[in-house]
Structures are given as structure tokens and as C-alpha cells.
Amino acid sequence: IVDLKSSRYVIPWYELFCSYSNIGTFKMTVDEIRDYFQIGSKYADFRDFKKKVIKMPIDEINNGSNALNVTFEPIKKGRTITGFTFNIKRYY
């Protein structure tokens, strides 16, 4: 069903998305994501954080899994991204 291996964040994201797949959507703040993945101050540049912790693993899940399709949208406070909304579609 799934062939996920390149990013260290892929499997934890996949498991998290599976746990929310019946609901279909959930939100996490940037701080919650940093805590969940124990990132701390790594990826201080937000562009790197978004690319390596969010976008790349989700792209890998979407391309390597025939069970889930995940999209995400930023949650903003003014111009600052404070979190993300994740939408999960499960294929049975």
C-alpha cells in the first residue's frame, strides 16, 4: 500500500494522517509541529521548515501511498504563518 522512506518525517506524518483520516481535517500550529517532531530550533528559516518538514513528506505520502491524499493550507495571523490545516482523503 505504501512505499515511504526518504524523509525522516514521512512515517510520523503518515501515521498522524491515518489517525485523522476518519475526521478528514485537522489543524496544527507551527509550535505543535516543532514539538511533535522534536525539531526545536532546527530549520530556523521558515522556508526550510515548510519545505523539509511539511511539503516534501506530504508530497512523498501523496506519491507513494495509494491509501491517502493530503493537502495543506497555511493558517495566517497577518502575514505570519502560525500553523497549517491538513485535509486528508482516504481511499478505501
Side-chain angles (χ1 to χ4, degrees):
I1 288 177
V2 76
D3 180 26
L4 308 171
K5 50 189 158 239
S6 67
S7 168
R8 66 175 283 205
Y9 304 110
V10 172
I11 298 300
W13 271 127
Y14 183 79
E15 292 170 347
L16 188 62
F17 294 146
C18 284
S19 71
Y20 281 96
S21 64
N22 291 335
I23 299 170
T25 188
F26 73 100
K27 298 177 182 184
M28 286 182 84
T29 67
V30 171
D31 290 339
E32 288 171 336
I33 295 168
R34 285 187 175 282
D35 289 345
Y36 185 81
F37 290 102
Q38 299 176 347
I39 294 172
S41 61
K42 190 174 181 181
Y43 307 119
D45 183 331
F46 188 77
R47 291 171 296 190
D48 289 339
F49 172 82
K50 184 177 174 186
K51 178 182 175 185
K52 295 182 179 183
V53 179
I54 310 246
K55 184 166 180 5
M56 286 174 57
I58 288 175
D59 286 347
E60 189 170 335
I61 289 168
N62 289 339
N63 294 326
S65 165
N66 61 1
L68 294 178
N69 183 278
V70 179
T71 59
F72 66 95
E73 299 172 18
I75 300 168
K76 292 185 176 184
K77 184 174 185 178
R79 292 180 50 170
T80 304
I81 295 175
T82 59
F84 294 90
T85 300
F86 299 95
N87 299 297
I88 306 138
K89 187 175 202 177
R90 185 171 204 147
Y91 300 108
Y92 293 96

